[in-house]
């Protein structure tokens, strides 16, 4: 390629990913690897081991697949938080090593903000409300006075985490979300017009916030009492997604904004995309979602935000490059337009 580029390293949880953008900000697809535990959930230490073992191979894959030269590297960005400490530290260490050895700027970025910026860049939306639905996070976010503010969020587990746990309890390994989507569709083939009242589940909305552990327990109980896994998957999606869309709609109403952007791995789901379209159409707003490879955790979004930070506020000093497991969306000052 012969042109400058910025590397982005994503390592907040299950995914280790190297992605890039060109110096003018054009996204370059990532090389990624996801740890898939044979049983049980994700153990932070095991995920971190996976990340460090696969690191060299993934970087080589990105360089060869995308025809990138280390000599053209202009900066290296990494997820500084939020996430699992051991996983974050692997990405940060790799980024520091590359920055020091190649003498290029180091850029610590906020993972949640990266989901917003990749969506804005790729979907061409300007000032959206973001419905961020991922494994560990569920937040409704909008920009106000130089920060992305959290207008509502889960009070317990992330929606993806809830879907993954439900799937795991019934024999499907991580990531469970896609299997739940398949099973919900299988239910529709048998029962083309199911009624939401058929299977009662708690509703996850609490004011502007959400909560998913109650709905998880109730869904497990329904299967234990004899409801088919497929019918519960359908009902679970309807209830959980409707709750998210309701809060997102209220956020649009409160802020007066007219664009809704989906982000996070659960935004790969066709049903939540469809519900978003319907709601946006009804209120004259525009719904957007990036291609699936940019909904899930990916290094490209980290590179993209790193580039914005490099231009607007400069690099991260080594002394300020510690990871922050609890980094909040609204802790990052937004100095770009
Ligand atoms: P992330 O944490 O943003 O990388 O997203 C991973 C999460 O997205 C996991 O909880 C997956 O189960 C979930 N996910 C991925 N694809 C789908 C899908 N088609 N439907 C529902 N959830 C999904
Ligand atoms: Mg994420």
């Amino acid at each position: 390629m012969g042109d400058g580029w910025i590397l982005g390293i994503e390592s907040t949880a299950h995914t280790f990913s190297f992605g890039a953008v060109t110096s003018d900000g054009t996204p370059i697809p990532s090389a990624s690897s996801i740890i898939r535990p044979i049983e049980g959930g994700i153990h932070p230490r095991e995920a971190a081991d996976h990340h460090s073992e696969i690191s060299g191979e993934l970087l080589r894959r990105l360089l060869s697949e995308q025809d990138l030269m280390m000599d053209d590297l202009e900066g290296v960005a990494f997820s500084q938080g939020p996430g699992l400490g051991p996983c974050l530290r692997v990405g940060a260490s790799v980024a520091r090593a590359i920055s020091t050895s190649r003498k290029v700027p180091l850029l610590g970025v906020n993972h949640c903000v990266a989901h917003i910026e990749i969506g804005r860049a790729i979907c061409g939306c300007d000032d959206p409300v973001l419905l961020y639905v991922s494994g560990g996070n569920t937040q409704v976010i909008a920009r106000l006075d130089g920060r992305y503010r959290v207008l509502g969020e889960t009070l317990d587990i992330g929606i993806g985490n809830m879907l993954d746990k439900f799937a795991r309890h019934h024999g499907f390994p991580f990531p469970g979300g896609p299997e739940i989507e398949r099973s919900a569709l299988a239910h529709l083939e048998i029962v083309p017009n199911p009624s939401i009242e058929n299977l009662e589940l708690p509703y996850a909305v609490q004011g502007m916030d959400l909560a998913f552990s109650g709905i998880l327990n109730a869904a497990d109980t329904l299967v234990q009492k004899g409801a088919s896994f497929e019918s519960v998957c359908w009902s679970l999606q309807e209830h959980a997604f409707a709750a998210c869309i309701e809060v997102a709609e209220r956020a649009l109403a409160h802020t007066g904004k007219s664009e809704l952007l989906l982000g996070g791995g659960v935004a790969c789901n066709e049903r939540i995309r469809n519900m978003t379209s319907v709601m946006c159409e009804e209120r004259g707003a525009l719904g957007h979602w990036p291609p699936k490879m940019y909904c899930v955790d990916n290094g490209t979004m980290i590179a993209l935000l790193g580039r914005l930070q490099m231009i607007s506020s400069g690099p991260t000093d080594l002394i300020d490059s510690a990871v922050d497991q609890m980094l909040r969306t609204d802790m990052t000052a937004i100095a770009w337009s």
Side-chain angles (χ1 to χ4, degrees):
M1 201 169 85
D3 289 327
W5 60 287
I6 293 129
L7 174 67
I9 305 175
E10 161 56 27
S11 71
T12 52
H14 40 68
T15 302
F16 198 57
S17 176
F18 286 90
V21 290
T22 59
S23 11
D24 66 359
T26 307
I28 296 173
S30 308
S32 308
S33 173
I34 302 176
I35 181 171
R36 296 173 202 274
I38 296 157
E39 61 178 320
I42 289 163
H43 190 289
R45 190 67 259 164
E46 286 168 12
D49 288 347
H50 159 268
H51 295 354
S52 51
E53 278 159 24
I54 198 110
S55 178
E57 184 190 321
L58 277 183
L59 180 55
R60 277 190 294 278
R61 214 170 86 200
L62 176 77
L63 296 176
S64 70
E65 282 175 0
Q66 304 300 337
D67 204 11
L68 298 166
M69 310 286 284
M70 283 308 269
D71 283 347
D72 298 326
L73 186 68
E74 292 176 346
V76 52
F78 67 100
S79 275
Q80 209 162 1
L84 306 172
C87 299
L88 287 168
R89 282 191 282 277
V90 174
S93 303
V94 173
R96 285 189 207 105
I98 294 175
S99 162
T100 310
S101 65
R102 307 298 308 187
K103 299 191 175 51
V104 294
L106 180 68
L107 302 144
V109 314
N110 185 319
H111 173 93
C112 303
V113 174
H115 274 290
I116 308 175
E117 294 302 344
I118 190 94
R120 285 182 69 214
I122 291 205
C123 302
C125 56
D126 176 42
D127 185 21
V129 166
L130 175 80
L131 174 56
Y132 173 34
V133 279
S134 78
N137 297 290
T138 306
Q139 294 184 329
V140 177
I141 300 165
R143 186 163 171 167
L144 187 77
D145 294 336
R147 304 264 162 167
Y148 284 112
R149 314 276 169 182
V150 180
L151 305 179
E153 64 187 318
T154 181
L155 300 172
D156 48 33
I157 54 176
I159 184 170
N161 199 244
M162 180 273 287
L163 297 172
D164 294 336
K165 281 186 169 155
F166 178 67
R168 192 168 80 233
H169 295 165
H170 302 283
F172 297 98
F174 177 86
E179 181 55 42
I180 291 181
E181 181 171 23
R182 270 191 294 278
S183 299
L185 285 174
H187 179 62
L188 286 184
E189 277 174 20
I190 304 164
V191 187
N193 295 303
S195 159
I196 195 82
E197 275 87 37
N198 280 355
L199 292 176
E200 214 174 288
L201 288 171
Y203 196 55
V205 175
Q206 314 225 346
M208 279 298 283
D209 291 320
L210 297 147
F212 295 104
S213 48
I215 198 170
L216 169 64
N217 287 337
D220 278 339
T221 307
L222 283 173
V223 178
Q224 277 152 21
K225 287 188 173 162
S228 76
F229 177 70
E230 289 76 11
S231 67
V232 180
C233 285
W234 178 80
S235 214
L236 188 58
Q237 283 199 167
E238 295 302 300
H239 282 81
F241 296 166
C244 295
I245 301 291
E246 182 189 323
V247 174
E249 180 170 17
R250 251 185 293 141
L252 286 172
H254 288 324
T255 58
K257 297 188 197 283
S258 58
E259 297 168 307
L260 181 65
L261 174 65
L262 295 182
V266 180
C268 294
N269 187 289
E270 296 297 335
R271 182 61 182 138
I272 200 167
R273 291 175 172 205
N274 170 262
M275 282 190 186
T276 302
S277 294
V278 171
M279 182 272 278
C280 286
E281 214 163 285
E282 279 173 1
R283 55 175 301 115
L286 285 174
H288 301 272
W289 43 84
K292 291 182 182 180
M293 69 176 165
Y294 296 131
C295 285
V296 296
D297 289 347
N298 66 90
T300 306
M301 68 180 190
I302 305 303
L304 187 129
L305 178 52
R307 174 182 169 274
L308 290 174
Q309 280 182 200
M310 192 160 78
I311 294 167
S312 61
S313 47
T316 305
D317 291 333
L318 212 49
I319 198 158
D320 299 323
S321 71
V323 302
D324 181 354
Q325 284 175 250
M326 307 300 283
L327 187 65
R328 297 266 309 160
T329 304
D330 54 11
M331 282 161 72
T332 299
I334 310 300
W336 53 90
S337 58

